[in-house]
Amino acid sequence: MRVIDSHTGGEPTRLILSGGPDLGGGSLAERAHRLFRSHRDFCSAVLSEPRGHDAMVGALLVPTTDLAAAAAVIYFNPIGPLGMCGHATIGTAVSLHHLGRLDLGRHQLETPVGTVGVHLQAANRAAVENVESDRYRADVAVEVPGQGRISGDIAWGGNWFFLTPDVPAPLTLAHVDQLTTSAVALRQALAEQGITGRDGAAIDHIEFVGPPLTRVGHARNFVLCPGTAYDRSPCGTGSAAKLACLAADGDLAPGVTWIQESVIGSTYALHYRPGPTGGVIATIAGTAFVTGDAVLNFDPADPYRAGITSHEVY
């Protein structure tokens, strides 16, 4: 299996070029569901230790159904499928350019939640025009054991987010463990109290939002991804969800640049235009670098060929 590894603002992407499973026909959303329903071992083997780690996101190239799209990509992490992934879209565009498969300029990429625009501005920089984002509910209160009442917004940015300014610790690397523990407890409380996204969709991302720590930033965040890994980048879909909330509150006008910092200090530059159904179409610009070009081997005799998971091997 040939892969190209990259990172966008510190967050890794593994682009799978060949050797993936046959997902059959149908829409990209159907094939994404089929990937994790029928090929869970593939997802774990590609991303989990010993070949990867829990913060890595996979990007599987598949045949397109949208003739206007330069490529079609299914995103997933070791826990499950992702609808859209901003950092991985930037990483995919930069990786395809590295391979000579994508020229500088404007393109479209097909994802399970819709086709997105990608402007490859330089060899290592791309701007993604995301699917429409919107705030679903504002000022939602949830009781979290050991933390008390926490209030925040529920928003869609390509994945479902609970965004809150009730930050349990400084948004720095030194406090990642505390932030992770608090975010996991908050996500569990949301599920237990029946607080969901639209149509009962599970809220699988938690976003703590606080003031910036640089002169150029407008805000800093910590984002818990599905599972227990945190986003090293400012999280593209999470930043789009943040813009949807800012727009809904009248705190950010269309076209005005918003600089979002991550917990490690990397940044995205964002702006938005009004969406067709009342939300926002966010553009997320960031920098990615290719870190590896490799062939992954899966020896049938390897007891960890499907990755190190919660199931022990005897």
Side-chain angles (χ1 to χ4, degrees), residues 27-293:
S27 70
L28 209 57
E30 290 170 336
R31 284 181 281 166
H33 178 70
R34 199 173 298 137
L35 171 67
F36 213 71
R37 182 187 64 203
S38 304
H39 303 281
R40 190 178 294 261
D41 281 354
F42 164 81
C43 300
S44 176
V46 172
L47 298 183
S48 298
E49 296 181 63
R51 296 174 189 85
H53 55 87
D54 62 352
M56 184 171 279
V57 169
L60 175 64
L61 287 182
V62 295
T64 62
T65 61
D66 184 344
L67 297 179
V73 191
I74 295 174
Y75 301 117
F76 60 97
N77 76 358
I79 301 300
L82 301 170
M84 170 55 186
C85 185
H87 96 264
T89 302
I90 294 170
T92 293
V94 166
S95 295
L96 290 175
H97 179 70
H98 169 79
L99 292 167
R101 298 189 185 184
L102 198 69
D103 293 332
L104 298 181
R106 297 185 182 275
H107 308 276
Q108 292 183 320
L109 289 183
E110 190 179 0
T111 80
V113 295
T115 298
V116 301
V118 179
H119 182 194
L120 189 60
Q121 299 168 328
N124 297 108
R125 189 166 181 82
V128 176
E129 187 174 75
N130 195 26
V131 296
E132 187 169 3
S133 305
D134 71 289
R135 182 169 66 185
Y136 174 55
R137 295 177 61 190
D139 297 323
V140 177
V142 55
E143 293 289 340
V144 182
Q147 299 182 52
R149 175 168 289 195
I150 294 178
S151 296
D153 293 351
I154 299 171
W156 169 258
N159 298 292
W160 281 106
F161 290 83
F162 186 87
L163 304 94
T164 177
D166 297 337
V167 177
L171 298 177
T172 64
L173 273 174
H175 296 88
V176 158
D177 288 348
Q178 183 180 349
L179 291 164
T180 299
T181 298
S182 297
V184 168
L186 171 54
R187 185 172 59 197
Q188 183 175 347
L190 289 167
E192 290 175 349
Q193 294 169 39
I195 300 172
T196 70
R198 192 177 290 111
D199 298 324
I203 299 170
D204 53 8
H205 290 71
I206 301 297
E207 185 169 350
F208 292 132
V209 183
L213 296 183
T214 70
R215 292 182 179 179
V216 299
H218 294 97
R220 193 176 185 94
N221 68 19
F222 169 91
V223 177
L224 178 73
C225 302
T228 57
Y230 71 93
D231 202 322
R232 277 69 171 166
S233 81
C235 186
T237 55
S239 296
K242 175 62 177 175
L243 258 63
C245 296
L246 290 167
D249 288 333
D251 291 334
L252 187 70
V256 176
T257 298
W258 177 271
I259 305 297
Q260 182 66 56
E261 300 173 7
S262 76
V263 72
I264 73 167
S266 57
T267 60
Y268 287 153
L270 302 99
H271 63 270
Y272 76 89
R273 61 180 174 84
T277 63
V280 305
I281 304 293
T283 295
I284 308 142
T287 302
F289 294 90
V290 171
T291 57
D293 184 340

